[in-house]
Amino acid sequence: MKAAVHTKYGLPGDLRIKELDTPTPKDNEVLIRVHATTVNRSDCHVLSGKPLFMRLFTGLFKPRASIIGTDFTGEIAAAGSAVQSFKVGDKIMGFGGAIGCGSHAQYFLLPESKAARAMVTMPGNLNYAQAAACLEGAVYAAIQVLGSKPQAGQKAMVYGASGAIGSAYVQFFKSYGVSVTAVCKMEQAALMRSLGAEKVIDYTKEDFTTDDERYDMIFDAVGKTSFARCKKLMKKNGIFGSSNGAINFLWLLVAPLLGGKKVVFYFSPRIKEALEFIKGLTETGNFTPVIDRIYPLDKIAEAFTYVASGQKIGNVIINMDT
């Protein structure tokens, strides 16, 4: 099988495509044939080893895992004798967590216990590439949206609305009947409106914090703003969330002491709940994953360079079948 392999930190580091033996599942494991995956911000952090605290989980001086990759769509290629939850041929999609599960390879193994928590069957109306675009970023957004319990008639602002996380936020809030303001470059205004945003603010030409609306929820999908900047835009009991917890960690602790407005960051091990939520919205036509570019596995280093540039719109897909 082919796999993207690295032995040191860097971006794209010494990432190389290598031919490796296809692994054989143990009694309690499933072998997953990957048809599509993504390169995303989580993958970039793992590949680069930055921020440095991540190395507590990935290896202090060199990577513990030579193959990374956080998400996957594909099928069960083989199953151990003790596996009961899956059978060969099942079409699945899954998210293995921010540190990764080794899905930047044509095949990889998962214990049945983890697979049961991290995978669902693919929606019948999506192909493998489309399903891959429903994973890493959308899962992060789904966890925060489910935790915030939005109500019809509320107002939400999404900062960085054109990325994988942001474009999912816009659609998830819209599915609840929430009015959405998208903050992004004006070049993406038509896309944002097609996804359900009622208002678009071009952050390159105007200060979004001067907006005259007041919001029940503000979510920063790119980790580039803060509660301090956004709090004047929030209603009395409004909530603020960011994909970069480090920026707002102090406010996460302090804001509840001040009453009213607060910072939230919902931690949830319930990945499957998020996946089922996403799957349900795709099947009803209420979530359309956004795909920017599709690369073959042989070009995965180029995909990492592009994602790290911060210019992507939606998701960058790796097609394992080309």
Side-chain angles (χ1 to χ4, degrees), residues 84-301:
Q84 297 183 353
S85 304
F86 307 97
K87 63 182 185 299
V88 173
D90 285 348
K91 291 186 176 182
I92 45 82
M93 67 181 194
F95 175 63
I99 302 303
C101 57
S103 59
H104 286 172
Q106 290 179 315
Y107 294 87
F108 75 103
L109 296 170
L110 276 183
E112 181 185 16
S113 57
K114 181 172 182 177
R117 299 191 302 270
M119 299 188 333
V120 296
T121 56
M122 268 180 53
N125 59 330
L126 301 183
N127 61 34
Y128 288 117
Q130 292 167 331
C134 295
L135 298 172
E136 186 254 8
V139 167
Y140 292 151
I143 289 172
Q144 302 308 307
V145 169
L146 291 169
S148 62
K149 297 180 172 61
Q151 302 290 322
Q154 289 183 319
K155 294 183 179 182
M157 172 183 279
V158 179
Y159 184 92
S162 61
I165 301 174
S167 60
Y169 268 132
V170 171
Q171 296 179 79
F172 295 164
F173 280 129
K174 194 65 181 178
S175 74
Y176 281 93
V178 173
S179 174
V180 180
T181 293
V183 182
C184 60
K185 292 181 179 179
M186 194 51 66
E187 293 95 303
Q188 283 84 56
L191 171 63
M192 291 299 100
R193 292 194 175 97
S194 74
L195 299 181
E198 297 180 8
K199 181 176 179 179
V200 179
I201 298 175
D202 184 350
Y203 71 90
T204 68
K205 295 182 179 178
E206 58 182 303
D207 181 357
F208 76 96
T209 66
T210 63
D211 186 26
D212 56 6
E213 297 278 0
R214 293 299 175 262
Y215 296 93
D216 300 280
M217 296 161 287
I218 299 177
F219 280 90
D220 172 13
V222 289
K224 292 185 177 180
T225 189
S226 67
F227 173 71
R229 288 194 70 198
C230 295
K231 63 180 181 178
K232 64 183 178 182
L233 295 174
M234 297 163 62
K235 292 182 180 179
K236 181 178 178 181
N237 295 309
I239 61 174
F240 173 86
S242 174
S243 64
N244 188 342
I247 293 177
N248 297 287
F249 183 71
L250 181 61
W251 282 114
L252 188 70
L253 300 175
V254 173
L257 304 177
L258 304 178
K261 302 172 186 179
K262 61 181 179 179
V263 176
V264 299
F265 190 83
Y266 298 105
F267 298 90
S268 175
R270 296 179 297 180
I271 300 300
K272 192 164 187 175
E273 179 183 356
L275 291 171
E276 293 285 9
F277 171 73
I278 296 165
K279 178 182 176 180
L281 291 181
T282 63
E283 290 175 333
T284 58
N286 290 308
F287 177 59
T288 301
V290 177
I291 296 175
D292 185 338
R293 298 183 182 183
I294 300 178
Y295 292 84
L297 179 60
D298 290 345
K299 301 292 185 181
I300 193 171

Side-chain angles (χ1 to χ4, degrees), residues 36-40 43 69-72 103-104 129 131-137 300 304 307 315-318:
T37 180
T38 69
V39 170
N40 51 63
D43 294 327
T70 59
D71 55 24
F72 53 92
S103 59
H104 286 172
C134 295
L135 298 172
E136 186 254 8
I300 193 171
F304 268 102
V307 171
N315 297 268
V316 170
I317 307 298
I318 302 299

